[in-house]
Amino acid sequence: MSFPLLTVTAAVPAAGAILTAAVPAARRTAAKWLALLFSLATLALAVLVAVRFEPGGDRYQLTESRAWIADFGVRYELGVDGIGVALIALTALLIPFVIGAGWHDADPLETSSSRWRPTQGFFALILLVEAMVIISFEATDVFLFYIFFEAMLIPMYFLIGGFGDRAHSGSDENAAAQRSYAAVKFLLYNLVGGLIMLAAVIGLYVVAGNFSLQEIADARAAGTLDMATNTERLLFLGFFFAFAVKAPLWPLHTWLPNAMGEATAPVAVLITAVVDKVGTFAMLRFCLGLFPEASKWATPVILVLALISIVYGALVAVGQRDIKRLVAYASISHFGFIILGIFAMTSQGQSGATLYMVNHGISTAALMLVAGFLISRRGSRLIADYGGVQKVAPVLAGTFLIGGLATLSLPGLAPFVSEFLVLVGTFARYPVVGIIATIGIVLAALYTLVLYQRTMTGPVKEEVRTMPDLRLREVLVVAPLIALLIGLGVYPKVLTDIVNPAVEHTMSDVKQTDPKPEVDVEAKNGEAAK
């Protein structure tokens, strides 16, 4: 198409970041409204992308291709499949809620010992992350993807280290030290993964002679791409390591609880509901698309690591005393389910994994943002500091409960459909793995219900007696997310129709078909008819 819709969709939040940062220091309210306006404009463009996308059409649509660094075969190539469309929509949907929830998070503190918190910079960085994430979902040139995959670390580093959670039990100096530690750990882990991926990207160019996903796929189909088995496996490991850090997959997960614990609640949502999805998305697009044989070779080990993530993350979540760290470890468990579905190598598993990315983003946003509202009222992240909240703030407690029930994948809410598909798809090919993975479901019910019981029920603690209920701005942030959880739980077809054709292409890349049922259903129905 002549109009570069994908470029504009990523460019609008980038322009918004620049303009928001340029707003005079005294006009911080104007900066907030400007950032919100640009995020809503991006959401409108993402809706247009979804409307223009034809699920039954070409694999990559709305494509753009321009010469960039011709001497090295690097092109500015964009295109979206159904998976990319779903995740662009998720990103564009969540950012307005992130901005609304963080409306006062970067306001200057009143205490004279605290430094000025630049409101304009906070919202500009959020929009910048949105732009980089969106173009990562659009890039079909490996080198172009790598640039933004790494570049998004810089604004995230400043969001974690420069705008940390104010609800900290220690002194201001201790809080700053904890934020700095979490930000540096986040940056170092992801930089190491990125450097290893860079070596693999260079190796891919040496082998393939270009970075285009489509050209590499065409060369593979025509038999003109000569990639030795060991070379393919080494390149796969380089890519997968970087994506596993970003995802995060056990044992490369340890940066996430620190980052989510020390960040503000909206930034914590940005980390786990938006940025981390780039890792699991890239596993589908690049690991399976570029290295199909190596993906099947590594599957047994990856399934074991995914199982450990599921069970370990849930077990550690059960024992957490910090609300935000509990949600972080629960996310590690959920990412284990996503990776399990991807590498189960079944259409149900991969469809479920893609839906899980979307539904986990919505459910985690709902739970974490309400938790952030709760924490801002009491000034503490510790579960033990709460009790009886539902008696003084029933709307807050009700939305917290729905977010928690979505986290444990209650039937009727959106995450149930995705988790069910992942387990069905895994059981079809790896029944033992599917059975073990169900342990995560039981543990999810345990940590979610215990969290609700300890914070919302029981006697009202003295410190929460005067706690106000959700305000209008907070209700406007949470209510649409709750509605989406219910709507997609009742009618997931709006997503599956977009996602399933892309999953079929991915299954074709790795030359896999779904296992046949042990019972011949057609024969059985024929006998019943007689």
Side-chain angles (χ1 to χ4, degrees), residues 59-75:
R59 179 170 189 175
Y60 296 116
Q61 299 181 32
L62 309 177
T63 56
E64 302 173 31
S65 181
R66 298 179 181 86
W68 186 18
I69 311 175
D71 292 341
F72 296 98
V74 180
R75 296 186 63 82

Side-chain angles (χ1 to χ4, degrees), residues 33-376:
W33 283 107
L34 185 63
L36 181 60
L37 178 64
F38 271 94
S39 70
L40 292 173
T42 306
L43 176 58
L45 288 168
V47 171
L48 182 59
V49 169
V51 170
R52 295 296 299 269
F53 182 80
E54 299 178 7
D58 296 336
R59 179 170 189 175
Y60 296 116
Q61 299 181 32
L62 309 177
T63 56
E64 302 173 31
S65 181
R66 298 179 181 86
W68 186 18
I69 311 175
D71 292 341
F72 296 98
V74 180
R75 296 186 63 82
Y76 178 80
E77 284 191 351
L78 304 179
V80 287
D81 59 4
I83 299 170
V85 168
L87 293 176
I88 289 170
L90 171 70
T91 302
L93 172 71
L94 291 182
I95 296 301
F97 299 121
V98 167
I99 291 173
W103 201 252
H104 298 298
D105 285 356
D107 288 347
L109 293 171
E110 295 179 359
T111 55
S112 58
S113 61
S114 298
R115 296 180 178 179
W116 174 267
R117 296 163 66 90
T119 304
Q120 289 83 343
F122 179 75
F123 292 103
L125 289 171
I126 290 174
L127 289 175
L128 187 59
V129 171
E130 179 182 23
M132 292 179 176
V133 169
I134 287 175
I135 204 165
S136 296
F137 291 141
E138 296 172 345
T140 56
D141 182 277
V142 177
F143 192 81
L144 178 66
F145 169 83
Y146 172 78
I147 288 175
F148 289 98
F149 180 81
E150 286 292 276
M152 71 180 69
L153 301 180
I154 304 304
M156 286 306 307
Y157 168 80
F158 287 109
L159 284 170
I160 297 168
F163 302 91
D165 192 352
R166 297 177 179 180
H168 200 284
S169 57
S171 63
D172 288 347
E173 292 77 10
N174 185 45
Q178 291 293 329
R179 288 198 300 270
S180 177
Y181 172 78
V184 170
K185 190 173 184 179
F186 161 82
L187 187 63
L188 289 179
Y189 267 66
N190 284 275
L191 278 179
V192 169
L195 288 173
I196 293 174
M197 180 182 170
L198 177 60
V201 169
I202 295 171
L204 178 66
Y205 177 74
V206 171
V207 173
N210 64 81
F211 296 106
S212 171
L213 279 176
Q214 191 61 57
E215 290 185 21
I216 292 173
D218 292 343
R220 189 185 296 277
T224 58
L225 178 60
D226 184 18
M227 189 180 299
T229 299
N230 289 337
T231 300
E232 180 177 339
R233 292 176 179 179
L234 285 173
L235 296 178
F236 168 87
L237 291 175
F239 277 76
F240 180 80
F241 183 87
F243 303 152
V245 172
K246 184 84 77 179
L249 178 67
W250 184 94
L252 305 171
H253 68 283
T254 59
W255 63 267
L256 183 65
N258 295 102
M260 289 185 65
E262 297 304 323
T264 64
V267 173
V269 170
L270 195 63
I271 294 169
T272 190
V274 177
V275 171
D276 287 355
K277 297 303 188 300
V278 178
T280 46
F281 163 80
M283 290 180 188
L284 277 166
R285 173 167 283 190
F286 297 103
C287 286
L288 272 61
L290 293 172
F291 315 111
E293 188 279 332
S295 298
K296 291 185 283 187
W297 162 76
T299 288
V301 174
I302 295 173
L303 293 180
V304 171
L305 295 178
L307 280 179
I308 295 174
S309 288
I310 291 169
V311 178
Y312 166 82
L315 278 173
V316 178
V318 171
Q320 286 301 304
R321 297 180 296 172
D322 183 311
I323 297 174
K324 292 169 71 177
R325 289 178 70 90
L326 185 151
V327 178
Y329 279 105
S331 291
I332 291 169
S333 181
H334 295 148
F335 275 102
F337 276 108
I338 294 171
I339 296 170
L340 186 70
I342 292 172
F343 285 91
M345 300 294 182
T346 60
S347 58
Q348 299 99 326
Q350 292 185 0
S351 293
T354 305
L355 292 181
Y356 215 131
M357 292 185 223
V358 175
N359 295 332
H360 170 263
I362 299 171
S363 62
T364 299
L367 180 61
M368 180 59 84
L369 292 180
V370 177
F373 298 148
L374 177 68
I375 292 168
S376 67

